[in-house]
Amino acid sequence: MVSSANTTYFHGAHVITGDGRTVITDGGIVVDNGVIVDIGPQNLLTVPEGAARINLTGKTVMPTIVNPHGHIGYMRDATVSKDNYSLENVLDHLHRLAYYGISVFQSLGTDRDDVEISLRNAQRSGELDDPELPLLFTAGTGLVAPTPGEINGGPYFATDVVHEVTTAHEARATVRELARKRPDAIKFWVDDRWGTRNKLTPEVYTAIIEEAHRLGYLAIAHIFELEDAKGVLRAGVNGIAHMVRAPGPDAELIELLQRDDVFAFTSMGIQRTAYDTSDWLTEPALTDTVSVKARKEVGEHLASLTPSAVEKGMAGYRVLEDSLRAYVEGGVRILLSADTGARTQFFGVAEHREIESMARAGMPTLQVIRSSTQLPAEILGLTDRGTLESGKRADLLVLDANPLDDITNTRQIHAVYLAGRAVDRAALRARWAPETTA
């Protein structure tokens, strides 16, 4: 029985449900205690007497975004470093994500001192009960091959915390050790960083995958090159973080991905922001939260790039666009992946720019939204969110304009609701104002 005392009726908006096909014109959403109890065209809904009403005429509502791939805690301004890592910084990043309508975030393999594991545990136990925090997932710390006499090929800001393994025996033992902390996935890197680092061998990464599966975990591989992608797929990996770079995927890779329903993370925007010399740093959606210092530093770096460097970088980005189209045409399960928190992937901003990149590459808009909401929620095992339907959490991203008209309208945010409760975006903006308006 719906209690009108705890019921809110959102009405008048276009509603994009997130399932990749359903759009409700002049829609209504009845929410009770943070859960959707009815949704559909306004004229077909029965609203409990006394329910609070929120008029969203002219707005568009879609599910909040679920990002299954980023690295939290390391970014401050335009610097990504282990020196920035702290619980306070992780919490700040989560609030920035909430500001932009990202309600779930998975940090993949770069936890430090168990900060992420501890915070995640506190969220799930109820000890940490902040309704304006996205739900945090974490893979704990990942695995990588050592490079004798050099740092390893893990992420440049966390090479000291990832686990170096050389043999299959070491790999299995390390996965078992990681499993004691109950991470949400097992992450490993297969990347020689342009020929400068050692890569995990097939024998070792096969052992990682098999042990992860034996213990009930998804195995996610960072890959860069085509043959490495094929190798981890043949070994049974569940997902690949990043699409392959030049020359891009071939028919065999598409077949392997599609055959075993392996998910592929997009991670396009991280290439784009490194070379995009347009005026993206002045967008209001970015200046709300990104400091003047960071914008200045990134702008100066972009201005220093030679035309040939820009062209080379953007040529790499075009390979990713071609790859995404091939994945779409091949029926591959594609998930938004902003690689947030690395390089210039600012929290919250990166997710919306990734959505734009996916659509600009030719992916149908409703499919882009599904790949940013329902599909990543599914791979994280979240049955209570990801789409707007009865029985799901009322995690609503309310937009001033329709992304089906222009994908960049996902950045025209009117309000964010997590479990039916509005995020106080004005208060968050005020918190960051000393840095963003200095």
Side-chain angles (χ1 to χ4, degrees), residues 204-274:
V204 174
Y205 65 63
T206 298
I208 293 171
I209 295 167
E210 289 177 350
E211 195 67 16
H213 290 172
R214 188 183 71 81
L215 296 171
Y217 293 100
L218 296 179
I220 301 175
H222 164 110
I223 52 85
F224 188 97
E225 296 178 351
L226 177 61
E227 292 309 312
D228 292 327
K230 292 179 182 179
V232 297
L233 286 165
R234 294 188 188 107
V237 80
N238 300 100
I240 55 172
H242 304 285
M243 296 185 290
V244 298
R245 273 49 169 188
D250 61 11
E252 183 184 18
L253 179 66
I254 300 297
E255 181 183 357
L256 287 168
L257 285 162
Q258 197 276 336
R259 183 192 68 189
D260 296 326
D261 197 24
V262 175
F263 55 84
F265 292 160
T266 55
S267 301
M268 300 171 68
I270 192 168
Q271 177 82 9
R272 181 178 164 204
T273 56

Side-chain angles (χ1 to χ4, degrees), residues 52 129 221 288 331 356:
D129 185 21
D288 275 358
E356 179 190 356

Side-chain angles (χ1 to χ4, degrees), residues 265-308:
F265 292 160
T266 55
S267 301
M268 300 171 68
I270 192 168
Q271 177 82 9
R272 181 178 164 204
T273 56
Y275 299 98
D276 186 352
T277 56
S278 66
D279 58 358
W280 67 278
L281 288 169
T282 62
E283 291 184 17
L286 180 142
T287 59
D288 275 358
T289 63
V290 178
S291 70
V292 171
K293 180 176 183 287
R295 302 194 308 259
K296 181 174 183 291
E297 289 178 0
V298 174
E300 288 175 348
H301 167 71
L302 292 174
S304 72
L305 296 175
T306 64
S308 61

Side-chain angles (χ1 to χ4, degrees), residues 4-158:
S4 62
N6 299 310
T7 304
T8 304
Y9 178 46
F10 300 87
H11 61 95
H14 294 287
V15 179
I16 300 171
T17 66
D19 65 1
R21 59 184 183 276
T22 306
V23 179
I24 304 168
T25 302
D26 196 22
I29 306 173
V30 181
V31 175
D32 184 64
N33 286 313
V35 176
I36 298 170
V37 294
D38 206 357
I39 183 170
Q42 283 193 93
N43 61 347
L44 299 181
L45 298 182
T46 300
V47 183
E49 186 176 348
R53 292 173 176 257
I54 297 179
N55 188 343
L56 298 180
T57 300
K59 309 299 183 186
T60 297
V61 180
M62 60 176 276
T64 51
I65 296 163
V66 177
N67 182 1
H69 178 206
H71 303 280
I72 204 163
Y74 290 88
M75 176 177 280
R76 181 168 292 133
D77 295 322
T79 302
V80 179
S81 167
K82 66 180 182 180
D83 297 331
N84 296 332
Y85 195 91
S86 67
L87 173 61
E88 293 72 23
N89 209 29
V90 171
L91 290 169
D92 178 67
H93 290 164
L94 287 171
H95 280 120
R96 291 170 189 268
L97 291 164
Y99 180 85
Y100 288 101
I102 291 86
S103 61
V104 184
F105 183 87
Q106 179 167 247
S107 187
L108 274 185
T110 50
D111 193 6
R112 188 173 289 270
D113 300 323
D114 292 339
V115 167
E116 295 167 24
I117 290 283
S118 298
L119 192 153
R120 180 209 64 180
N121 291 347
Q123 267 193 324
R124 296 184 189 180
S125 69
E127 178 186 351
L128 175 60
D129 185 21
D130 182 343
E132 294 194 339
L133 280 185
L135 185 62
L136 178 65
F137 281 66
T138 178
T141 45
L143 299 91
V144 70
T147 300
E150 300 284 348
I151 60 173
N152 58 56
Y156 63 93
F157 47 86

